Amino acid sequence: MFCGDYVQGTIFPAPNFNPIMDAQMLGGALQGFGCDKDMLIDILTQRCNTQRLMIAEAYQSMYGQDLIGDLKEKLSDHFKDVMVGLMYPPPSYDAHELWHAMKGAGTEENCLIDIFASRTNAEIFQMREAYCLQYSSNLQEDIYSETSGHFRDTLMNLAQGIREEGYTDPAMAAQDAMVLWEACQRKTGEHKTTLQMILCNKSYEQLWLVFQEFQNISGQDIVDAINECYDGYFQELLVAIVLCVRDKPAYFAYRLYSSIHDFGFHNKTVIRILIARSEIDLMTIRKRYKERYGKSLFHDIKNFASGHYEKALLAICAGDAEDY
């Protein structure tokens, strides 16, 4: 599979969409004494992000209140995180996740890795703008102050969003592969810098060729070579970049699987991936998950989550009985 292959999300624009009617229904669900959580799930998971933003506008003019504010006030725990997360435009959601990953107690490096290893130049540009608007802060400066070493250098490079796009130079691929191989042998600071420059700046198409050449030269897969030569978050980030170049949905399937099984259901990661990929490639991620791990994502979420939180996650997955 090459990264350019067809991928599919799980959430699409709802037909016969009526934001005013939806806003009224949400008002009914949120304004009373109780809170009709089923209604919230039925509406917010069955509309695309653009439609949700239109509902929020209608809600504001109807009730004079902020829908996100009301969701935060009425809901709690992980269910709240899902419903509120659905209301952010994608760049704002990435910015929100990065801010909390860096400004919470200790830096949540895995969130930084997931986002920066996988986003396109355009997504990174929009995320930087959203971050600045939402938090009056500079994303690159915050990365610089919250991380360190070659891990920081690689993130700073990715955060520029200047990867070449669509460009290939087969003659250069063998040369780049030699440089990568040498960097894995020598491991000096200079070699680490060269390694991350190639992985952060070359196009996906070019890296595809470079990884094949690397295999030819060294008889080893690039991921195995990186795992042998480096450690820590630097190594994790480099591997994440390689996996995203090869097959982004498979990378996210792997991240979901390890978040569910190795970390006792790491809620933040599961929520972030499901929401962020819901309109891009979540259906394809589900497919990869089933192929690779034997069980469906639907089945694993059902096993580990419960209540309205489980119901909301499954609705985003667009799961069905045959998938159980």
Side-chain angles (χ1 to χ4, degrees), residues 23 30 65 70 80 124 162 209 239 287:
L30 287 166
Q65 276 166 274
D70 283 358
K80 174 179 80 173
I124 288 168
I162 53 168
L209 299 176
V239 168
K287 236 171 76 183

Side-chain angles (χ1 to χ4, degrees), residues 179 182-184 186-196 230:
V179 172
E182 197 177 304
C184 286
R186 306 273 290 278
K187 300 182 233 183
T188 67
E190 201 180 315
H191 284 96
K192 286 182 184 175
T193 303
T194 312
L195 181 65
Q196 63 95 351
Y230 298 107

Side-chain angles (χ1 to χ4, degrees), residues 80-265:
K80 174 179 80 173
D81 297 337
V82 177
M83 292 292 113
V84 170
L86 286 168
M87 295 308 303
Y88 288 103
S92 303
Y93 186 59
D94 277 349
H96 171 271
E97 292 295 291
L98 290 170
W99 170 263
H100 289 282
M102 290 192 280
K103 299 299 175 182
T107 303
E108 206 192 318
E109 285 84 0
N110 279 320
C111 172
L112 303 183
I113 291 170
D114 275 352
I115 290 177
F116 283 107
S118 65
R119 301 308 191 251
T120 63
N121 289 349
E123 286 166 342
I124 288 168
F125 177 76
Q126 292 173 322
M127 172 209 311
R128 283 207 317 258
E129 293 215 312
Y131 191 92
C132 186
L133 278 170
Q134 278 159 246
Y135 305 108
S136 307
S137 196
N138 180 296
L139 177 57
Q140 282 139 303
E141 284 171 15
D142 286 352
I143 292 167
Y144 193 84
S145 65
E146 299 296 329
T147 58
S148 62
H150 288 281
F151 176 58
R152 171 169 73 189
D153 297 343
T154 312
L155 286 173
M156 293 292 285
N157 196 343
L158 291 167
Q160 293 181 77
I162 53 168
R163 183 184 293 286
E164 291 171 352
E165 290 180 329
Y167 173 79
T168 54
D169 179 350
M172 194 69 195
Q175 204 175 319
D176 287 339
M178 278 302 289
V179 172
L180 287 183
W181 188 64
E182 197 177 304
C184 286
Q185 306 303 307
R186 306 273 290 278
K187 300 182 233 183
T188 67
E190 201 180 315
H191 284 96
K192 286 182 184 175
T193 303
T194 312
L195 181 65
Q196 63 95 351
M197 294 286 280
I198 291 174
L199 292 182
C200 295
N201 298 336
K202 301 283 179 177
S203 72
Y204 270 30
E205 293 82 354
Q206 180 70 5
L207 287 174
W208 187 259
L209 299 176
V210 172
F211 300 157
Q212 285 177 308
E213 289 290 348
F214 186 93
Q215 178 86 43
N216 298 342
I217 292 164
S218 66
Q220 193 178 27
D221 185 74
I222 182 83
V223 171
D224 296 333
I226 292 169
N227 285 337
E228 266 177 36
C229 300
Y230 298 107
D231 55 17
Y233 293 119
F234 177 60
Q235 168 253 324
E236 285 183 39
L237 178 53
L238 296 181
V239 168
I241 296 168
V242 174
L243 297 179
C244 284
V245 168
R246 286 187 166 157
D247 185 342
K248 212 173 275 186
Y251 168 72
F252 283 116
Y254 150 71
R255 287 290 294 130
L256 283 167
Y257 187 83
S258 65
S259 302
I260 292 170
H261 293 276
D262 303 343
F263 299 101
F265 209 88

